[in-house]
Short mmCIF file of all heavy atoms in Angstrom, two decimals:
data_model
loop_
_atom_site.label_atom_id
_atom_site.label_comp_id
_atom_site.label_asym_id
_atom_site.label_seq_id
_atom_site.Cartn_x
_atom_site.Cartn_y
_atom_site.Cartn_z
N LEU A 1 0.52 -7.93 14.49
CA LEU A 1 -0.26 -6.83 15.04
C LEU A 1 0.61 -5.62 15.40
O LEU A 1 0.19 -4.50 15.20
CB LEU A 1 -1.01 -7.31 16.29
CG LEU A 1 -1.95 -6.29 16.96
CD1 LEU A 1 -3.08 -5.86 16.00
CD2 LEU A 1 -2.59 -6.90 18.23
N ILE A 2 1.82 -5.90 15.89
CA ILE A 2 2.69 -4.78 16.27
C ILE A 2 3.03 -3.90 15.06
O ILE A 2 3.12 -2.65 15.21
CB ILE A 2 4.03 -5.33 16.92
CG1 ILE A 2 4.90 -4.15 17.39
CG2 ILE A 2 4.79 -6.20 15.95
CD1 ILE A 2 6.14 -4.56 18.14
N ASP A 3 3.14 -4.48 13.89
CA ASP A 3 3.43 -3.66 12.69
C ASP A 3 2.24 -2.83 12.28
O ASP A 3 2.39 -1.70 11.83
CB ASP A 3 3.90 -4.58 11.55
CG ASP A 3 5.21 -5.25 11.85
OD1 ASP A 3 6.10 -4.59 12.40
OD2 ASP A 3 5.38 -6.46 11.55
N LEU A 4 1.05 -3.38 12.43
CA LEU A 4 -0.15 -2.60 12.17
C LEU A 4 -0.24 -1.41 13.09
O LEU A 4 -0.52 -0.27 12.66
CB LEU A 4 -1.43 -3.48 12.33
CG LEU A 4 -1.91 -4.24 11.07
CD1 LEU A 4 -0.87 -5.24 10.59
CD2 LEU A 4 -3.19 -5.00 11.39
N GLU A 5 0.04 -1.65 14.37
CA GLU A 5 -0.02 -0.54 15.34
C GLU A 5 1.05 0.49 15.11
O GLU A 5 0.82 1.68 15.20
CB GLU A 5 0.11 -1.16 16.75
CG GLU A 5 -1.10 -2.01 17.12
CD GLU A 5 -0.91 -2.77 18.43
OE1 GLU A 5 0.25 -2.95 18.87
OE2 GLU A 5 -1.91 -3.15 19.03
N GLN A 6 2.29 0.05 14.82
CA GLN A 6 3.35 1.01 14.55
C GLN A 6 3.13 1.79 13.28
O GLN A 6 3.49 2.94 13.14
CB GLN A 6 4.70 0.29 14.53
CG GLN A 6 5.12 -0.32 15.87
CD GLN A 6 5.12 0.71 16.97
OE1 GLN A 6 5.57 1.81 16.81
NE2 GLN A 6 4.61 0.32 18.13
N GLY A 7 2.53 1.11 12.26
CA GLY A 7 2.19 1.84 11.03
C GLY A 7 1.26 2.97 11.29
O GLY A 7 1.40 4.07 10.73
N LEU A 8 0.23 2.75 12.15
CA LEU A 8 -0.71 3.82 12.50
C LEU A 8 0.02 4.98 13.14
O LEU A 8 -0.28 6.16 12.88
CB LEU A 8 -1.80 3.29 13.45
CG LEU A 8 -2.89 2.41 12.84
CD1 LEU A 8 -3.81 1.89 13.95
CD2 LEU A 8 -3.67 3.17 11.76
N ASN A 9 1.00 4.70 14.01
CA ASN A 9 1.75 5.78 14.65
C ASN A 9 2.53 6.62 13.62
O ASN A 9 2.80 7.82 13.86
CB ASN A 9 2.77 5.20 15.64
CG ASN A 9 2.07 4.58 16.85
OD1 ASN A 9 0.93 4.91 17.17
ND2 ASN A 9 2.75 3.61 17.50
N LEU A 10 2.83 6.02 12.49
CA LEU A 10 3.56 6.69 11.42
C LEU A 10 2.63 7.27 10.34
O LEU A 10 3.11 7.93 9.39
CB LEU A 10 4.54 5.71 10.73
CG LEU A 10 5.66 5.17 11.63
CD1 LEU A 10 6.31 3.97 10.96
CD2 LEU A 10 6.67 6.27 11.89
N GLY A 11 1.29 7.07 10.54
CA GLY A 11 0.36 7.64 9.57
C GLY A 11 -0.04 6.74 8.43
O GLY A 11 -0.55 7.20 7.41
N TYR A 12 0.19 5.41 8.65
CA TYR A 12 -0.12 4.43 7.57
C TYR A 12 -1.05 3.35 8.06
O TYR A 12 -1.11 3.02 9.25
CB TYR A 12 1.17 3.73 7.07
CG TYR A 12 2.22 4.65 6.54
CD1 TYR A 12 3.45 4.83 7.23
CD2 TYR A 12 2.06 5.37 5.36
CE1 TYR A 12 4.43 5.66 6.76
CE2 TYR A 12 3.04 6.20 4.86
CZ TYR A 12 4.23 6.33 5.56
OH TYR A 12 5.23 7.16 5.07
N LYS A 13 -1.78 2.78 7.10
CA LYS A 13 -2.53 1.50 7.36
C LYS A 13 -2.03 0.46 6.41
O LYS A 13 -1.66 0.75 5.28
CB LYS A 13 -4.02 1.71 7.16
CG LYS A 13 -4.69 2.45 8.29
CD LYS A 13 -6.21 2.34 8.20
CE LYS A 13 -6.71 1.02 8.75
NZ LYS A 13 -8.19 0.95 8.85
N LEU A 14 -2.03 -0.78 6.92
CA LEU A 14 -1.56 -1.89 6.07
C LEU A 14 -2.75 -2.47 5.29
O LEU A 14 -3.81 -2.72 5.86
CB LEU A 14 -0.90 -2.98 6.94
CG LEU A 14 -0.26 -4.11 6.15
CD1 LEU A 14 1.06 -4.51 6.71
CD2 LEU A 14 -1.20 -5.35 6.11
N LYS A 15 -2.54 -2.74 4.01
CA LYS A 15 -3.54 -3.37 3.17
C LYS A 15 -2.83 -4.31 2.21
O LYS A 15 -1.63 -4.17 1.92
CB LYS A 15 -4.25 -2.31 2.32
CG LYS A 15 -5.16 -1.40 3.12
CD LYS A 15 -6.36 -2.10 3.74
CE LYS A 15 -7.23 -1.14 4.55
NZ LYS A 15 -8.42 -1.86 5.12
N LEU A 16 -3.55 -5.35 1.78
CA LEU A 16 -3.03 -6.23 0.73
C LEU A 16 -3.30 -5.51 -0.61
O LEU A 16 -4.40 -5.53 -1.14
CB LEU A 16 -3.68 -7.62 0.76
CG LEU A 16 -3.09 -8.58 -0.27
CD1 LEU A 16 -1.66 -8.92 0.10
CD2 LEU A 16 -3.94 -9.86 -0.32
N VAL A 17 -2.28 -4.89 -1.14
CA VAL A 17 -2.39 -4.03 -2.29
C VAL A 17 -2.10 -4.78 -3.58
O VAL A 17 -1.04 -5.41 -3.72
CB VAL A 17 -1.46 -2.81 -2.17
CG1 VAL A 17 -1.55 -1.93 -3.42
CG2 VAL A 17 -1.82 -2.00 -0.94
N SER A 18 -3.04 -4.70 -4.54
CA SER A 18 -2.80 -5.20 -5.89
C SER A 18 -2.54 -4.00 -6.79
O SER A 18 -3.29 -3.00 -6.76
CB SER A 18 -4.00 -5.97 -6.40
OG SER A 18 -4.30 -7.07 -5.53
N ILE A 19 -1.49 -4.08 -7.62
CA ILE A 19 -1.14 -2.92 -8.44
C ILE A 19 -0.50 -3.36 -9.76
O ILE A 19 0.30 -4.30 -9.75
CB ILE A 19 -0.22 -1.97 -7.69
CG1 ILE A 19 0.12 -0.73 -8.57
CG2 ILE A 19 1.05 -2.67 -7.23
CD1 ILE A 19 0.83 0.35 -7.76
N THR A 20 -0.92 -2.73 -10.85
CA THR A 20 -0.19 -2.77 -12.09
C THR A 20 -0.07 -1.38 -12.61
O THR A 20 -1.07 -0.66 -12.71
CB THR A 20 -0.91 -3.62 -13.17
OG1 THR A 20 -0.87 -5.01 -12.79
CG2 THR A 20 -0.19 -3.51 -14.51
N GLU A 21 1.16 -0.95 -12.94
CA GLU A 21 1.36 0.40 -13.43
C GLU A 21 2.25 0.34 -14.67
O GLU A 21 3.12 -0.49 -14.81
CB GLU A 21 1.98 1.31 -12.35
CG GLU A 21 3.32 0.88 -11.86
CD GLU A 21 3.82 1.70 -10.71
OE1 GLU A 21 2.98 2.37 -10.03
OE2 GLU A 21 5.05 1.69 -10.44
N ARG A 22 2.00 1.28 -15.57
CA ARG A 22 2.74 1.38 -16.81
C ARG A 22 3.99 2.21 -16.61
O ARG A 22 3.95 3.27 -15.96
CB ARG A 22 1.85 2.02 -17.89
CG ARG A 22 2.38 2.00 -19.29
CD ARG A 22 1.59 2.96 -20.17
NE ARG A 22 0.18 2.68 -20.24
CZ ARG A 22 -0.38 1.85 -21.11
NH1 ARG A 22 0.38 1.26 -22.02
NH2 ARG A 22 -1.68 1.66 -21.09
N ASN A 23 5.09 1.75 -17.17
CA ASN A 23 6.32 2.54 -17.18
C ASN A 23 6.87 2.51 -18.61
O ASN A 23 7.58 1.56 -19.01
CB ASN A 23 7.34 1.95 -16.19
CG ASN A 23 8.57 2.80 -16.08
OD1 ASN A 23 8.90 3.63 -16.94
ND2 ASN A 23 9.31 2.64 -14.98
N LYS A 24 6.44 3.50 -19.43
CA LYS A 24 6.71 3.51 -20.85
C LYS A 24 6.15 2.26 -21.49
O LYS A 24 4.93 2.08 -21.50
CB LYS A 24 8.21 3.64 -21.11
CG LYS A 24 8.79 4.99 -20.59
CD LYS A 24 10.26 5.08 -20.86
CE LYS A 24 10.79 6.41 -20.32
NZ LYS A 24 12.26 6.57 -20.50
N ASP A 25 6.95 1.37 -22.00
CA ASP A 25 6.40 0.17 -22.71
C ASP A 25 6.48 -1.09 -21.81
O ASP A 25 6.27 -2.20 -22.30
CB ASP A 25 7.11 -0.06 -24.00
CG ASP A 25 8.59 -0.29 -23.85
OD1 ASP A 25 9.13 0.04 -22.77
OD2 ASP A 25 9.25 -0.82 -24.77
N LYS A 26 6.79 -0.88 -20.49
CA LYS A 26 6.87 -2.00 -19.61
C LYS A 26 5.93 -1.77 -18.42
O LYS A 26 5.39 -0.68 -18.23
CB LYS A 26 8.31 -2.21 -19.14
CG LYS A 26 9.25 -2.64 -20.27
CD LYS A 26 10.64 -2.97 -19.73
CE LYS A 26 11.56 -3.44 -20.85
NZ LYS A 26 12.91 -3.78 -20.34
N PHE A 27 5.79 -2.82 -17.53
CA PHE A 27 4.87 -2.73 -16.45
C PHE A 27 5.48 -3.23 -15.15
O PHE A 27 6.43 -4.02 -15.16
CB PHE A 27 3.59 -3.56 -16.77
CG PHE A 27 2.82 -3.08 -17.96
CD1 PHE A 27 3.16 -3.54 -19.23
CD2 PHE A 27 1.84 -2.17 -17.85
CE1 PHE A 27 2.47 -3.08 -20.36
CE2 PHE A 27 1.13 -1.70 -18.94
CZ PHE A 27 1.46 -2.18 -20.21
N PHE A 28 4.91 -2.73 -14.08
CA PHE A 28 5.19 -3.28 -12.74
C PHE A 28 3.88 -3.86 -12.23
O PHE A 28 2.88 -3.17 -12.20
CB PHE A 28 5.70 -2.22 -11.79
CG PHE A 28 5.79 -2.68 -10.35
CD1 PHE A 28 6.87 -3.39 -9.91
CD2 PHE A 28 4.76 -2.36 -9.44
CE1 PHE A 28 6.99 -3.85 -8.62
CE2 PHE A 28 4.86 -2.83 -8.12
CZ PHE A 28 5.96 -3.54 -7.69
N SER A 29 3.89 -5.10 -11.80
CA SER A 29 2.71 -5.76 -11.24
C SER A 29 3.08 -6.44 -9.93
O SER A 29 4.14 -7.08 -9.81
CB SER A 29 2.10 -6.81 -12.19
OG SER A 29 1.50 -6.17 -13.31
N SER A 30 2.18 -6.31 -8.95
CA SER A 30 2.51 -6.90 -7.62
C SER A 30 1.23 -7.02 -6.81
O SER A 30 0.32 -6.23 -6.93
CB SER A 30 3.51 -5.96 -6.89
OG SER A 30 3.51 -6.23 -5.50
N VAL A 31 1.19 -8.09 -6.00
CA VAL A 31 0.22 -8.21 -4.90
C VAL A 31 1.07 -8.42 -3.65
O VAL A 31 1.86 -9.36 -3.57
CB VAL A 31 -0.73 -9.39 -5.08
CG1 VAL A 31 -1.57 -9.62 -3.85
CG2 VAL A 31 -1.64 -9.18 -6.30
N ALA A 32 0.94 -7.52 -2.68
CA ALA A 32 1.74 -7.60 -1.49
C ALA A 32 1.16 -6.74 -0.37
O ALA A 32 0.46 -5.77 -0.65
CB ALA A 32 3.20 -7.12 -1.78
N PRO A 33 1.40 -7.12 0.91
CA PRO A 33 1.00 -6.23 1.99
C PRO A 33 1.84 -4.96 1.94
O PRO A 33 3.06 -5.01 1.84
CB PRO A 33 1.36 -7.05 3.25
CG PRO A 33 1.64 -8.45 2.80
CD PRO A 33 2.07 -8.34 1.38
N CYS A 34 1.19 -3.83 1.94
CA CYS A 34 1.86 -2.52 1.84
C CYS A 34 1.27 -1.55 2.86
O CYS A 34 0.08 -1.69 3.22
CB CYS A 34 1.71 -1.91 0.46
SG CYS A 34 2.43 -2.88 -0.88
N PHE A 35 2.06 -0.60 3.27
CA PHE A 35 1.54 0.53 4.02
C PHE A 35 1.07 1.61 3.03
O PHE A 35 1.80 1.93 2.09
CB PHE A 35 2.60 1.13 4.98
CG PHE A 35 2.75 0.38 6.25
CD1 PHE A 35 4.00 0.00 6.71
CD2 PHE A 35 1.65 0.06 7.04
CE1 PHE A 35 4.16 -0.68 7.92
CE2 PHE A 35 1.77 -0.61 8.24
CZ PHE A 35 3.05 -1.00 8.68
N VAL A 36 -0.14 2.14 3.27
CA VAL A 36 -0.66 3.26 2.45
C VAL A 36 -1.07 4.37 3.37
O VAL A 36 -1.32 4.14 4.57
CB VAL A 36 -1.90 2.77 1.59
CG1 VAL A 36 -1.47 1.69 0.60
CG2 VAL A 36 -3.02 2.25 2.51
N PRO A 37 -1.11 5.61 2.89
CA PRO A 37 -1.48 6.72 3.76
C PRO A 37 -2.83 6.53 4.39
O PRO A 37 -3.80 6.16 3.74
CB PRO A 37 -1.46 7.93 2.79
CG PRO A 37 -0.53 7.52 1.68
CD PRO A 37 -0.76 6.04 1.51
N GLU A 38 -2.91 6.81 5.68
CA GLU A 38 -4.15 6.56 6.46
C GLU A 38 -5.35 7.33 5.90
O GLU A 38 -6.48 6.79 5.94
CB GLU A 38 -3.92 6.89 7.92
CG GLU A 38 -5.03 6.36 8.82
CD GLU A 38 -4.73 6.62 10.31
OE1 GLU A 38 -3.61 7.15 10.62
OE2 GLU A 38 -5.58 6.34 11.12
N PRO A 39 -5.22 8.56 5.38
CA PRO A 39 -6.41 9.26 4.87
C PRO A 39 -6.90 8.76 3.51
O PRO A 39 -7.94 9.21 3.03
CB PRO A 39 -5.90 10.72 4.74
CG PRO A 39 -4.61 10.78 5.46
CD PRO A 39 -4.02 9.40 5.36
N SER A 40 -6.18 7.88 2.84
CA SER A 40 -6.51 7.46 1.47
C SER A 40 -7.74 6.59 1.39
O SER A 40 -8.15 5.96 2.41
CB SER A 40 -5.31 6.73 0.84
OG SER A 40 -5.06 5.51 1.57
N LEU A 41 -8.36 6.53 0.23
CA LEU A 41 -9.54 5.69 0.01
C LEU A 41 -9.23 4.22 0.26
O LEU A 41 -10.03 3.52 0.87
CB LEU A 41 -10.06 5.91 -1.41
CG LEU A 41 -11.21 4.95 -1.82
CD1 LEU A 41 -12.43 5.15 -0.94
CD2 LEU A 41 -11.54 5.20 -3.31
N ILE A 42 -8.08 3.77 -0.21
CA ILE A 42 -7.73 2.37 -0.04
C ILE A 42 -7.59 1.99 1.44
O ILE A 42 -7.93 0.91 1.87
CB ILE A 42 -6.44 2.04 -0.87
CG1 ILE A 42 -6.29 0.53 -1.06
CG2 ILE A 42 -5.21 2.61 -0.25
CD1 ILE A 42 -5.21 0.18 -2.08
N ALA A 43 -7.09 2.94 2.24
CA ALA A 43 -6.93 2.68 3.67
C ALA A 43 -8.30 2.67 4.39
O ALA A 43 -8.47 1.97 5.39
CB ALA A 43 -6.05 3.78 4.32
N LYS A 44 -9.24 3.39 3.80
CA LYS A 44 -10.58 3.45 4.41
C LYS A 44 -11.55 2.39 3.93
O LYS A 44 -12.69 2.34 4.35
CB LYS A 44 -11.17 4.86 4.15
CG LYS A 44 -10.43 5.95 4.84
CD LYS A 44 -11.02 7.33 4.50
CE LYS A 44 -10.28 8.46 5.19
NZ LYS A 44 -10.82 9.80 4.81
N THR A 45 -11.08 1.55 2.99
CA THR A 45 -11.88 0.47 2.50
C THR A 45 -11.69 -0.75 3.38
O THR A 45 -10.59 -1.35 3.40
CB THR A 45 -11.51 0.12 1.05
OG1 THR A 45 -11.64 1.27 0.25
CG2 THR A 45 -12.40 -0.99 0.49
#
């Protein structure tokens, strides 16, 4: 809980983020707890 609260003080919300992104012909894929900007759609979901 302390990390959630401190993240808010820094302008972030914690979410379990799933992501795959293309980098030329390779990819980055991950599922992990991440801080995302508080105004973002993902933070508001």
Side-chain angles (χ1 to χ4, degrees):
L1 182 62
I2 184 174
D3 294 319
L4 271 61
E5 293 172 338
Q6 294 305 316
L8 285 177
N9 293 336
L10 296 165
Y12 302 112
K13 284 194 79 173
L14 186 137
K15 293 292 180 179
L16 184 66
V17 176
S18 301
I19 180 170
T20 292
E21 61 186 21
R22 188 195 302 270
N23 186 340
K24 296 181 180 177
D25 60 343
K26 294 185 179 181
F27 297 88
F28 170 82
S29 289
S30 163
V31 172
C34 299
F35 278 131
V36 296
E38 193 176 355
S40 63
L41 173 62
I42 197 169
K44 293 177 179 178
T45 303

